[in-house]
Amino acid sequence: RDIKYEQKNISIIGVGNVVLDGGKHNRLREKTTRKFGLPTIWLNDIMFWLNVNGLRIENINIQHQRYWAINHVFTRNVTLKNIHFYAIPHVNNMDGIDLRVGCNNFTIENITGRTGDDVVALTSLWGYSEKKSIIAGKDPDIHDVKMRNIKGDPDRCYCVRLLNHDGNKIYNIDIDTIMDTSDYVSKHRINCAFGMGSPVYYKVRPMAEGELYNIKVKNISTRAGDAVFFNYALKDAEISNIHTFGDNKNMFSPGMKDNGNSDCVFDNVKLKHIYYGATQKEIIGGKELSDDAIHGTVFDFSRAKGEIEIEDVNVDTVNTVFKVGSEATVKVRGLKINKAVTEKQIEKGGKLIIEGEEKHNG
């Protein structure tokens, strides 16, 4: 495979009510992929694009996908617009849109509906199928991606996910509007509205400093367990205008641990216009909660390193506002708190500076 053999300028434009249906499942699952004489699970994608330059997919409905709905590998200059999903989860990883290794210059707009896993996932990883799909002359990084209006229910997973390991990079990502539309009838929160990094899936080493950078995200609305989580490293990033509601728990979280070693190094990271409004059910019902019944953390930087700048914070009712690790410096301007059981937990060596004044425990 070589870059000179790219397929070019492909368009799939729906007219009217176009529906692509995965139909009855064929028993090819993650547990059976490449076993018992079966092929790779990627053959269960609704669409799989490899080595393409110039692709438009617009105005379609996708339902009951058998695995990922739209999968891209070493593909560039792509527009995905007005795509609606409806998946009843019956197998693992019923993603909506996936960008794997070597994807760049994407515009993803007006993505709605319910998936059985991540709605949009940017994951530059070296798995079996990615290595089999290498295109000579193309880099494996994911970069220059614009997203607008991602409104979906990912069924306990992520609305938007960024994940890279083993030397691959993700950079120049610009996102406007992530809306968690998870169904209250299902009685569960999604895991995360916007997640970066993960302590799993790498083959040789996890993502390092300088490999996830220039990330801009604004307008997030969610009741997820974590509105935003992060692992390993983040550089040159701004996340702004975030609202939590419903039974949300944490707004910013360090994510999962990797054998106790998943600290996140921050370099030029800014958080702005933060509105933590998680519902405390007994308060809504007119009965005041005891302190030990109030949950959640707004800013959990207990495993963070480096400096984080925060501006314009409004907190309704929460257990803890700030958790600051021993190697973190958190600078805050504009803070309003209605009720917090604990405003700050600062480890020795950590710094919390509010309106220019350094704060301490107690």
Side-chain angles (χ1 to χ4, degrees):
R1 296 187 179 93
D2 194 284
I3 189 173
K4 66 184 179 182
Y5 297 116
E6 281 184 322
Q7 299 181 73
K8 297 182 178 180
N9 303 324
I10 301 170
S11 295
I12 299 177
I13 311 297
V15 178
N17 185 29
V18 175
V19 178
L20 302 181
D21 194 323
K24 185 178 180 180
H25 204 274
N26 58 4
R27 295 185 293 178
L28 176 58
R29 305 169 184 261
E30 287 189 328
K31 291 183 178 180
T32 61
T33 182
R34 305 193 315 276
K35 296 178 181 178
F36 315 113
L38 295 174
T40 174
I41 188 67
W42 276 10
L43 293 186
N44 259 354
D45 297 337
I46 294 284
M47 298 183 188
F48 173 50
W49 303 99
L50 172 64
N51 201 22
V52 176
N53 182 3
L55 172 67
R56 290 178 62 204
I57 303 174
E58 299 183 14
N59 306 328
I60 61 173
N61 300 277
I62 297 177
Q63 64 185 30
H64 310 317
Q65 59 262 34
R66 299 175 183 179
Y67 194 55
W68 300 343
I70 310 176
N71 184 13
H72 307 83
V73 180
F74 289 107
T75 294
R76 56 182 175 159
N77 299 315
V78 176
T79 296
L80 307 174
K81 188 175 181 180
N82 302 332
I83 298 173
H84 182 77
F85 296 103
Y86 181 72
I88 298 175
H90 57 286
V91 292
N92 292 334
N93 275 353
M94 297 170 68
D95 289 20
I97 295 168
D98 284 83
L99 279 59
R100 302 294 278 191
V101 289
C103 290
N104 61 76
N105 290 284
F106 272 63
T107 297
I108 303 172
E109 295 183 349
N110 303 334
I111 308 302
T112 58
R114 181 180 182 183
T115 56
D117 207 288
D118 305 335
V119 179
V120 181
L122 280 57
T123 49
S124 190
L125 305 171
W126 285 122
Y128 172 87
S129 296
E130 287 83 2
K131 289 180 178 179
K132 289 289 186 180
S133 303
I134 290 175
I135 304 299
K138 288 191 172 184
D139 74 81
D141 301 336
I142 295 176
H143 59 88
D144 295 285
V145 178
K146 290 185 178 179
M147 299 187 209
R148 300 290 183 266
N149 299 322
I150 311 301
K151 302 177 179 179
D153 176 0
D155 185 58
R156 296 183 173 89
C157 294
Y158 309 87
C159 289
V160 176
R161 184 173 197 176
L162 310 183
L163 173 58
N164 55 303
H165 285 313
D166 294 318
N168 296 342
K169 299 179 179 66
I170 295 180
Y171 60 92
N172 297 350
I173 309 299
D174 184 345
I175 304 173
D176 183 349
T177 305
I178 299 173
M179 183 179 292
D180 164 13
T181 62
S182 54
D183 184 1
Y184 277 86
V185 175
S186 63
K187 305 297 183 185
H188 67 260
R189 298 185 296 254
I190 68 171
N191 283 351
C192 184
F194 178 59
M196 294 171 284
S198 172
V200 294
Y201 303 115
Y202 61 85
K203 302 298 182 182
V204 178
R205 66 164 178 84
M207 179 242 292
E209 294 178 49
E211 293 179 347
L212 177 63
Y213 62 93
N214 198 17
I215 310 297
K216 295 184 179 179
V217 185
K218 63 182 179 181
N219 302 324
I220 298 176
S221 177
T222 182
R223 70 180 185 111
D226 297 314
V228 177
F229 85 69
F230 42 81
N231 283 93
Y232 293 116
L234 179 61
K235 179 180 179 181
D236 299 334
E238 182 175 300
I239 304 174
S240 64
N241 197 24
I242 307 175
H243 295 248
T244 64
F245 64 90
D247 50 353
N248 170 275
K249 185 177 181 182
N250 303 312
M251 179 161 271
F252 293 93
S253 167
M256 300 174 284
K257 290 185 178 181
D258 176 12
N259 296 322
N261 184 28
S262 61
D263 295 334
C264 187
V265 180
F266 289 94
D267 182 358
N268 188 30
V269 174
K270 297 178 173 64
L271 310 176
K272 298 182 178 180
H273 314 309
I274 309 302
Y275 304 90
Y276 182 93
T279 300
Q280 309 291 338
K281 294 180 180 179
E282 288 79 358
I283 292 176
I284 293 296
K287 180 181 179 181
E288 190 74 15
L289 281 176
S290 61
D291 285 354
D292 60 2
I294 296 174
H295 63 255
T297 300
V298 185
F299 302 103
D300 186 349
F301 298 124
S302 57
R303 300 206 305 272
K305 298 179 180 180
E307 183 174 297
I308 307 102
E309 295 183 18
I310 303 173
E311 179 181 339
D312 184 23
V313 180
N314 293 268
V315 178
D316 188 356
T317 302
V318 70
N319 186 285
T320 307
V321 181
F322 297 101
K323 293 181 180 179
V324 181
S326 61
E327 298 183 64
T329 297
V330 179
K331 296 181 178 180
V332 185
R333 289 187 300 154
L335 174 64
K336 296 179 181 178
I337 302 173
N338 175 43
K339 181 176 181 180
V341 177
T342 302
E343 181 178 328
K344 49 194 178 295
Q345 295 178 5
I346 308 169
E347 296 181 12
K348 184 179 180 180
K351 292 184 179 181
L352 174 61
I353 301 169
I354 300 177
E355 304 295 352
E357 179 183 351
E358 184 171 349
K359 302 294 183 178
H360 303 279
N361 289 320

